[in-house]
Amino acid sequence: MLRALLLELAKSSRLRRWIISNGTTRRLAQKFVPGEDLSPAIEAARRCNHAGMAASLDHLGENVLNREDAERARRAYTDALDRIAAENLDANISLKLTHLGLDLGDEFCAGQLCIVAQRAAALHNFVRVDMEGSAYTDRTLRIVKQARAETGAVGTVIQAYLYRSGRDIQDLLEAGCRIRLVKGAYKEPSQIAFLRKKDVDANYVKLMKMLLPSGIYHAMATHDPNMIEPTIRFAAEHDITKDKFEFQMLYGIRTDLQSRLVRQGYRVRIYIPFGQDWFPYFMRRLAERPANLLFFAKNLFR
Ligand code: FDA
C-alpha cells in the first residue's frame, strides 16, 4: 500500500516542486544522489574505485517532452563518457531511453542511443540501458537489440517481477546481450507482474540461474542477502569464477554489504545517480524501504 502510494506520488509535479526547492529535503536526498553536476558524481566514482569497486554514472532524468531536452541529455552522457576516459576511471554509464526522447518516437530515440553507444565503443566503454515501466519494455528491448547489433557496447536490464522476463532473457542471450537483473521498481498490475515479494524473489533466483551459466558477463543488482547468497552458492557449484559476473548496488545503500563482497573477492559496481531531476529516483528509493521514509520524515520535522 505504502509503496504504491509513494510510487503514485512520484508523479506529482506539486510535490516535486516542493521537495526539490526545500533545503532540508535536498540535503537528505544526498544520501542517494551525491550531487546535481557531473563533478560530484566523478568524485563519488573515484571513491568507489579506491574502495575496490567500479561505478556506473546515471544522469538523472526521464520522460523528456522535447528534442532540445533529449539532445541535452545525450550530450550529458557523451560528456560523462569523455570525463570517465580522461580521468581513467573504472566506470560506465546507465541511462533511461525516455530521457533520450523515447516519448518523441522510436527512431529519434534509437538514433540518440546510437550516438552515445558509438562514443562508448570508441572509448572501449559500455552503456547500460535501464528498464522503465512496462509501457516501455517492448520498445526498449527492440532499440537495445538494434544498438547492440551496431556497436556491441550496449546492454540492458531485466526485471524479475515481470512474468515475461524468462522469455526476454532467452531472446537477449541469443543476441549476446549483457543483462543486469533487478527485482523491478515500478508500480505494475497483477496481470503482468508478481506483486508478492516472495514470488518476485523466487523468480529472481530462477532468472539468475539462467544468466550465470550463459558465458556472458551479467550483473546481479540487488541489496538483498537472500538473492546474493544463492548467487554465490550457484556460481561456486557451477565453477563460475568471481570474474565472470558482478554484483551491483545503488549509491548510499547497504554500504556494509558492498564492502563485504569486495573483501570476499567479488566484483561490485555502484550505480551513481547525479543531476537536478532527482525527485522520481528519490521517491522510488523511499518506496523500497519504509525505514528510509521514517528517516526522511524525522529529519524533515526536526
Ligand atoms: P529488496 O527491495 O527486497 O530489499 C532487500 C534489502 O535491501 C532490504 O531489506 C534492505 O536491507 C536493502 N534495501 C533495498 N532497498 C533499499 C533502500 N532503498 N534503502 C535502504 N536499504 C534498501 N529497477 C528497475 O525497475 N529498472 C532498473 O533499470 C533498475 N536499475 C537498478 C540498478 C541497480 C544497480 C540496482 C541495485 C537496482 C536497480 N533497480 C532498477 C531497482 C530494483 O528494481 C529494486 O527496486 C531495488 O534494487 C530494491 O530491490 P532489492 O533487490 O535491493 O531488494
Side-chain angles (χ1 to χ4, degrees):
M1 271 287 283
L2 185 61
R3 177 175 182 272
L5 176 67
L6 286 164
L7 291 177
E8 203 49 49
L9 285 174
K11 297 177 192 154
S12 158
S13 49
R14 272 174 73 187
L15 186 65
R16 174 197 293 250
R17 271 198 302 279
W18 182 74
I19 288 208
I20 62 174
S21 60
N22 181 299
T24 309
T25 54
R26 287 169 78 103
R27 252 192 329 279
L28 291 173
Q30 281 178 359
K31 178 173 155 53
F32 302 120
V33 180
E36 297 194 350
D37 305 315
L38 177 57
S39 290
I42 290 284
E43 279 318 306
R46 202 189 314 282
R47 285 196 300 277
C48 286
N49 285 183
H50 282 152
M53 295 179 278
S56 190
L57 302 189
D58 167 32
H59 179 234
L60 291 167
E62 44 202 91
N63 294 108
V64 300
L65 298 172
N66 60 64
R67 281 184 175 234
E68 292 72 43
D69 287 346
E71 284 164 0
R72 197 171 311 117
R74 187 198 76 217
R75 283 193 295 276
Y77 280 110
T78 49
D79 288 352
L81 284 165
D82 290 345
R83 187 82 183 270
I84 288 167
E87 310 232 1
N88 207 14
L89 292 172
D90 182 1
N92 60 30
I93 59 166
S94 292
L95 55 78
K96 290 184 174 43
L97 288 189
T98 67
H99 196 195
L100 287 187
L102 187 54
D103 292 330
L104 305 170
D106 289 18
E107 211 174 306
F108 170 69
C109 182
Q112 292 259 88
L113 177 62
C114 233
I115 295 173
V116 181
Q118 276 162 358
R119 180 72 63 93
L123 295 168
H124 308 288
N125 209 331
F126 177 75
V127 180
R128 177 80 60 181
V129 176
D130 287 349
M131 191 56 75
E132 303 179 66
S134 58
Y136 296 107
T137 311
D138 278 325
R139 295 162 71 196
T140 301
L141 293 175
R142 204 165 44 240
I143 292 172
V144 163
K145 277 198 280 181
Q146 188 183 327
R148 225 206 83 75
E150 282 170 35
T151 69
V154 180
T156 192
V157 178
I158 288 291
Q159 297 154 324
Y161 62 15
L162 293 184
Y163 302 147
R164 58 179 285 169
S165 288
R167 289 193 308 280
D168 289 335
I169 286 182
Q170 263 168 1
D171 196 36
L172 289 168
L173 290 183
E174 276 164 29
C177 189
R178 283 167 60 176
I179 295 171
R180 170 201 294 153
L181 183 63
V182 301
K183 289 192 187 179
Y186 296 81
K187 186 166 164 262
E188 302 291 359
S190 62
Q191 288 83 351
I192 61 164
F194 298 107
L195 300 187
R196 290 187 310 178
K197 177 174 160 56
K198 87 176 199 333
D199 297 330
V200 179
D201 288 1
N203 202 38
Y204 190 102
V205 172
K206 187 172 144 202
L207 299 177
M208 172 274 287
K209 291 179 179 174
M210 285 176 74
L211 292 176
L212 284 197
S214 69
I216 301 170
Y217 188 84
H218 300 299
M220 304 300 132
T222 178
H223 315 92
D224 191 345
N226 294 326
M227 304 296 106
I228 292 170
E229 282 315 315
T231 304
I232 289 177
R233 218 176 318 120
F234 182 83
E237 283 165 7
H238 292 79
D239 290 329
I240 298 162
T241 49
K242 291 173 179 172
D243 57 336
K244 295 288 187 291
F245 66 98
E246 65 185 31
F247 289 108
Q248 294 187 355
M249 293 190 208
L250 302 177
Y251 178 84
I253 296 180
R254 291 301 311 257
T255 49
D256 56 330
L257 192 51
Q258 296 170 10
S259 322
R260 193 180 341 136
L261 287 168
V262 172
R263 281 197 303 275
Q264 291 172 355
Y266 290 98
R267 291 189 172 188
V268 178
R269 184 180 301 273
I270 305 303
Y271 184 102
I272 302 175
F274 69 98
Q276 292 174 354
D277 197 6
W278 45 264
F279 173 73
Y281 178 87
F282 178 64
M283 292 299 282
R284 285 198 288 275
R285 302 295 79 82
L286 293 186
E288 275 156 12
R289 192 159 150 80
N292 284 339
L293 184 63
L294 213 63
F295 170 82
F296 174 67
K298 262 198 323 219
N299 279 277
L300 198 60
F301 288 116
R302 195 177 294 151

